[in-house]
Amino acid sequence: MQNKTYEELLFYFTENKVFKASLFSIAATTVLGATIIAPSLPALQNHFLHIGHSVEILSKLILTIPALFMMLFSPIAGFMYEKFKKLNIIFISLFIWSLAGIAGFFLNNIYYILFSRSILGISAAFLMTGIGVLLADYYTGIRREKALALQGFFMAFGGGIFLILGGYLADLDWRYPFLVYFLGILILIFAFFQLFEPIKHTHNNHTKTLHPPFNFTKFLPVYIMAIFCMTCFYIAPTQLPFFMTQDLGIKQSNIGKCMAAASVAMALGSLLYPRVRKLFNIYEIFFIAFSIFGIGFACISLLHDFKSILIGFGLIGVGIGLITVNNNAWLFSLAYEYERPRAYGFLASSLFMGQFISPLLTQIFVHYIGMVKMVGVFSLMILGSGFLFLLFSLKNGGKIER
């Protein structure tokens, strides 16, 4: 009866719209942290030209170095969420995230900015892992897939709004977008009064011995997918702003609009996921999403006017929105309850690994074949990956674990 009462209360509170807004607002900070300063990167690079040629890679690392520390600390976060209360870690991490983000406004040394961004990445690792684990604790079954879709919507739509703001602020000065991180303090106050610590199911010692050790290889395809998709997706904020300003003469505010279009489209793609999931299996959704994703990059590679690039960003957003939710749902379908913190920690690490290596890998392509051809090559790789999933689906007769 006690468990039944808890389940009823859990359903009642977690279906509250204000509760969901507070939960998913924290999830949105992990996207906001990485992309809000993207429109200001060209101006930031110009400000630090005096340090020499290294500024080209250092300016891009300001955007992506949080991902390196998110990659390193997400598995650690997964272990800590197994041992300690989740909300305590999340609230402390959100406070540190805000302070580290705002610090960029006051710093005039690119290396100090990189250090503050590293702290931002560590705190974001704990935020993303914690929210993923909380979501799995609060929701089950179809409700979880709907919650994952809503999480994706909040992350993408919120990111889109603030990317537009970031673009306009970057036109004024490259420092101003850093002030947007003050929102973390407001979200913290909001979430403190709404979220609650889920009851952790306890087991006796005999039951614990029946648990097999964590099987990393079971989740390996999910992790590889996350690395590949984030590597491709982060071409948009790390490489394309330079192409748009230097080659096409597009204003920074319009760069913000393009990235906002990708975020809004990502939100719509995420929101559509539960309906798409009713019609297709996970492999088929990957095929559809990769096709849309790849066509978006093809538009940017082949058509060089602002409207076409805007459409390309929109298609990229829809594709990555479907892929992200689909990959999360795939992970949770494979993970037992006791595996979730660790499994999601490694997933978060994989996502951030893709973000971090993206500018390092794609810069090699840019150096040898140029920006436009690099985008074209990745477009073909993405489309090819989609067809591989179609073959997997046909081979397995549409059957896959839910």
Side-chain angles (χ1 to χ4, degrees):
M1 181 64 69
Q2 186 178 358
N3 290 336
K4 183 178 180 181
T5 302
Y6 172 70
E7 294 299 329
E8 291 174 348
L9 289 173
L10 185 67
F11 181 87
Y12 174 78
F13 284 111
T14 57
E15 288 302 312
N16 182 279
K17 292 181 180 180
V18 179
F19 174 89
K20 289 181 178 179
S22 62
L23 177 65
F24 298 135
S25 292
I26 298 177
T29 62
T30 58
V31 174
L32 176 66
T35 60
I36 187 65
I37 65 168
S40 66
L41 283 185
L44 185 149
Q45 179 175 304
N46 290 333
H47 180 80
F48 290 107
L49 280 176
H50 61 276
I51 69 174
H53 294 296
S54 61
V55 71
E56 294 183 8
I57 190 65
L58 289 176
S59 61
K60 292 171 183 175
L61 283 177
I62 286 175
L63 185 69
T64 59
I65 200 167
L68 171 64
F69 286 87
M70 292 157 96
M71 174 189 74
L72 295 174
F73 281 84
S74 291
I76 297 173
F79 285 108
M80 289 188 66
Y81 281 116
E82 289 181 346
K83 306 294 183 182
F84 304 102
K85 289 185 176 181
K86 301 176 179 67
L87 285 183
N88 289 345
I89 300 174
I90 288 172
F91 291 152
I92 293 171
S93 300
L94 186 54
F95 182 71
I96 295 172
W97 179 91
S98 300
L99 294 183
I102 295 169
F105 176 81
F106 300 98
L107 299 174
N108 197 36
N109 182 303
I110 196 168
Y111 297 103
Y112 291 164
I113 294 175
L114 284 169
F115 177 75
S116 70
R117 302 291 288 174
S118 302
I119 301 300
L120 183 92
I122 294 171
S123 56
F126 283 88
L127 286 175
M128 186 164 186
T129 304
I131 290 301
V133 175
L134 271 184
L135 188 146
D137 287 341
Y138 288 148
Y139 303 96
T140 57
I142 296 175
R143 291 178 66 235
R144 182 184 294 161
E145 291 189 356
K146 290 181 178 179
L148 285 170
L150 277 174
Q151 180 190 30
F153 175 82
F154 265 78
M155 292 171 69
F157 190 74
I161 292 173
F162 293 112
L163 271 170
I164 295 175
L165 177 61
Y168 282 107
L169 290 174
D171 278 342
L172 300 175
D173 191 280
W174 64 267
R175 297 178 184 276
Y176 288 168
F178 288 98
L179 292 176
V180 180
Y181 290 101
F182 182 75
L183 285 169
I185 302 296
L186 302 180
I187 294 172
L188 172 59
I189 297 171
F190 183 39
F192 182 81
F193 292 102
Q194 290 297 322
L195 302 184
F196 60 91
E197 185 74 20
I199 294 177
K200 186 175 182 180
H201 295 287
T202 58
H203 305 274
N204 57 42
N205 291 334
H206 176 69
T207 304
K208 287 183 179 180
T209 61
L210 296 178
H211 287 164
F214 180 77
N215 184 3
F216 180 85
T217 57
K218 179 173 70 171
F219 304 102
L220 190 59
V222 181
Y223 300 151
I224 292 173
M225 182 60 48
I227 294 170
F228 175 70
C229 291
M230 282 298 105
T231 299
C232 295
F233 178 66
Y234 260 66
I235 291 172
T238 61
Q239 296 289 4
L240 295 182
F242 296 91
F243 169 63
M244 295 167 72
T245 55
Q246 296 171 3
D247 296 350
L248 303 181
I250 294 174
K251 294 193 302 182
Q252 291 178 91
S253 57
N254 284 334
I255 296 174
K257 290 177 183 177
C258 286
M259 293 187 181
S263 292
V264 173
M266 182 178 175
L268 295 175
S270 300
L271 207 58
L272 286 172
Y273 180 80
R275 296 184 180 182
V276 177
R277 185 68 178 94
K278 291 179 181 178
L279 301 174
F280 303 101
N281 66 48
I282 286 177
Y283 286 158
E284 291 167 343
I285 294 174
F286 275 132
F287 166 67
I288 295 168
F290 271 114
S291 298
I292 298 170
F293 195 25
I295 291 171
F297 274 109
C299 285
I300 296 171
S301 177
L302 299 174
L303 306 172
H304 297 162
D305 60 278
F306 175 69
K307 290 183 179 179
S308 299
I309 291 176
L310 189 64
I311 292 171
F313 269 83
L315 292 173
I316 289 170
V318 172
I320 198 67
L322 286 170
I323 290 169
T324 302
V325 180
N326 200 43
N327 214 33
N328 286 347
W330 192 8
L331 177 87
F332 286 133
S333 72
L334 296 173
Y336 295 106
E337 181 180 353
Y338 73 92
E339 293 179 307
R340 287 175 196 156
R342 212 173 297 188
Y344 199 85
F346 281 113
L347 175 60
S349 180
S350 301
L351 289 168
F352 302 137
M353 181 185 293
Q355 292 178 18
F356 179 72
I357 67 175
S358 180
L360 304 177
L361 178 63
T362 56
Q363 191 64 33
I364 297 172
F365 283 85
V366 171
H367 178 76
Y368 286 103
I369 63 176
M371 182 73 72
V372 175
K373 289 183 180 179
M374 179 274 292
V375 176
V377 166
F378 274 86
S379 173
L380 293 174
M381 290 171 61
I382 293 166
L383 291 170
S385 300
F387 279 103
L388 283 178
F389 276 106
L390 180 61
L391 292 176
F392 290 153
S393 180
L394 294 174
K395 182 179 179 181
N396 287 273
K399 296 179 180 179
I400 187 170
E401 287 187 79
R402 292 187 63 84

